[in-house]
Amino acid sequence: DIQMTQSPSSLSASVGDRVTITCRASQSISNYLNWYQQKPGKAPKVLIYTASSLQSGVPSTFSGSGSGTDFTLTISSLQPEDFATYYCQQSYSTPYTFGQGTKLEI
Amino acid sequence: QVQLVQSGAEVKKPGASVKVSCKVSGYTLTELSMHWVRQAPGKGLEWMGGFDPEDGETIYANKFQGRVTMTEDRSTDTAYLELSSLRSEDTAVYYCAKLNCLNGVCYPGDYFDHWGQGTLVTVSS
């Protein structure tokens, strides 16, 4: 199975900050990496797919990059509604695997 | 617009089975690749398995092999997850999630674009 490792596990930031979350795969997954946002009590919501494509309706303050084994999610200017938990997920092969999550806190 | 609506919360005793449903609207189930993901309290997301429309087979994560069954009733566009021999570690929110395959063909890079609201399954004696 492909292991996905996110860092950091938690992150404190302020409105207006630029933040970066990293995700590393245990083997090359090309660009088959997706990012999800999850708020408490809610289902995850896709933000970025295939490493750098922005899902329709997602603010352009979110961006993704990377290929192979190393990926990043960047939020260029944090908004109050961005405080949530973020997960990466590889869709290179089954079993699909997720990172352990990064909790973004004020 | 596709919507996935799941059945309500369940409380089960250890050793019992649970069956969670996921009703699809806005699409027919035959057009979809439906998967199940669970999340234990305070923990991350764990993929359990899903349907590959290309070969018509359901793929299960090794961890759940022998205990999990995913089925579909295409007459009602409802997907089901059944998990047996429940233990306390199975306490979790269970989500159905649609993989965004195109025209019934799935590729690497597909992602979960629609999710159900989640069903809490509590296993307790």
Side-chain angles (χ1 to χ4, degrees):
Chain A
D1 297 1
I2 299 172
Q3 306 303 315
M4 306 301 294
T5 304
Q6 279 181 242
S7 61
S9 297
S10 64
L11 177 58
S12 292
S14 301
V15 172
D17 283 354
R18 178 185 179 91
V19 299
T20 298
I21 299 168
T22 64
C23 180
R24 175 165 287 175
S26 60
Q27 67 181 72
S28 178
I29 57 171
S30 184
N31 66 335
Y32 301 135
L33 189 283
N34 309 310
W35 290 98
Y36 299 85
Q37 177 193 66
Q38 187 180 32
K39 295 183 178 178
K42 300 294 187 183
K45 165 190 159 183
V46 65
L47 301 173
I48 302 283
Y49 60 95
T50 53
S52 60
S53 297
L54 192 68
Q55 175 72 339
S56 175
V58 174
S60 58
T61 51
F62 289 91
S63 63
S65 65
S67 66
T69 60
D70 294 310
F71 302 86
T72 59
L73 172 70
T74 299
I75 310 172
S76 60
S77 178
L78 274 174
Q79 300 303 303
E81 60 269 23
D82 299 336
F83 291 93
T85 301
Y86 294 85
Y87 293 93
C88 62
Q89 176 243 333
Q90 64 83 14
S91 55
Y92 178 81
S93 65
T94 56
Y96 297 133
T97 44
F98 294 85
Q100 80 277 18
T102 295
K103 187 173 183 179
L104 183 51
E105 300 172 298
I106 299 173
Chain B
Q1 175 71 322
V2 64
Q3 277 197 303
L4 309 180
V5 179
Q6 298 183 222
S7 49
E10 303 262 12
V11 179
K12 296 291 182 182
K13 293 196 182 301
S17 297
V18 69
K19 193 168 186 176
V20 178
S21 68
C22 173
K23 167 78 174 166
V24 177
S25 60
Y27 271 77
T28 60
L29 201 46
T30 51
E31 302 173 277
L32 303 184
S33 176
M34 190 66 75
H35 293 247
W36 293 87
V37 175
R38 78 176 186 179
Q39 186 171 38
K43 301 295 184 182
L45 301 166
E46 182 175 32
W47 179 80
M48 299 180 70
F51 182 72
D52 183 344
E54 233 181 317
D55 61 16
E57 298 289 327
T58 300
I59 314 163
Y60 299 122
N62 286 341
K63 175 176 179 175
F64 302 103
Q65 284 279 1
R67 283 209 302 143
V68 68
T69 306
M70 296 173 189
T71 56
E72 298 180 349
D73 182 343
R74 293 181 175 186
S75 68
T76 60
D77 288 320
T78 303
Y80 296 94
L81 167 75
E82 186 166 18
L83 189 62
S84 61
S85 302
L86 290 168
R87 33 215 191 222
S88 58
E89 310 89 88
D90 294 317
T91 294
V93 175
Y94 290 77
Y95 293 101
C96 56
K98 166 190 163 294
L99 200 62
N100 74 318
C101 308
L102 191 59
N103 298 326
V105 180
C106 301
Y107 296 97
D110 289 332
Y111 55 93
F112 299 115
D113 62 348
H114 289 87
W115 297 66
Q117 82 276 21
T119 297
L120 175 61
V121 175
T122 303
V123 183
S124 173
S125 54

